[in-house]
Amino acid sequence: MQISLNIQDDVYKQLVNAGVDMQSKINEYLVNLVDKKNDYINSNQFQEDKAYFHKALKDIESGKTKPLSHTEVWTEIEQHTNK
């Protein structure tokens, strides 16, 4: 599929002189518009969540934190829902 763009002559000349690959830049821009997951991946919240889960994994691997067994998880869930 092809589209056409109206770009001011002076801007076009600057882009060409700078060696900008306009096709790839436009494609990259459009993909980023559509791909909403990038918003989260590039967010501070993602960095905080990533650090939280890395710490949790480190604590489990070092023995500092003991994960619940399957039975313990369901016991917790049942106790919570019965309140």
Side-chain angles (χ1 to χ4, degrees):
M1 175 181 207
Q2 287 188 335
I3 61 170
S4 62
L5 297 172
N6 292 321
I7 301 173
Q8 295 174 347
D9 290 340
D10 59 328
V11 173
Y12 178 78
K13 287 177 186 176
Q14 288 176 348
L15 290 168
V16 170
N17 290 337
V20 174
D21 179 358
M22 290 180 277
Q23 181 67 48
S24 66
K25 290 293 184 187
I26 291 170
N27 284 340
E28 181 182 320
Y29 174 73
L30 293 173
V31 167
N32 283 332
L33 283 177
V34 174
D35 193 1
K36 295 299 180 187
K37 73 179 179 185
N38 284 341
D39 291 343
Y40 174 64
I41 290 173
N42 295 320
S43 71
N44 287 335
Q45 184 64 52
F46 176 79
Q47 295 305 318
E48 291 171 12
D49 294 346
K50 183 178 174 182
Y52 171 83
F53 285 109
H54 276 279
K55 182 182 180 318
L57 179 60
K58 184 179 174 182
D59 289 349
I60 290 169
E61 289 175 339
S62 71
K64 183 178 178 181
T65 300
K66 178 186 171 284
L68 298 175
S69 69
H70 179 81
T71 304
E72 291 169 322
V73 168
W74 281 107
T75 301
E76 292 279 330
I77 291 171
E78 288 172 359
Q79 287 175 356
H80 178 74
T81 56
N82 289 335
K83 288 183 182 180

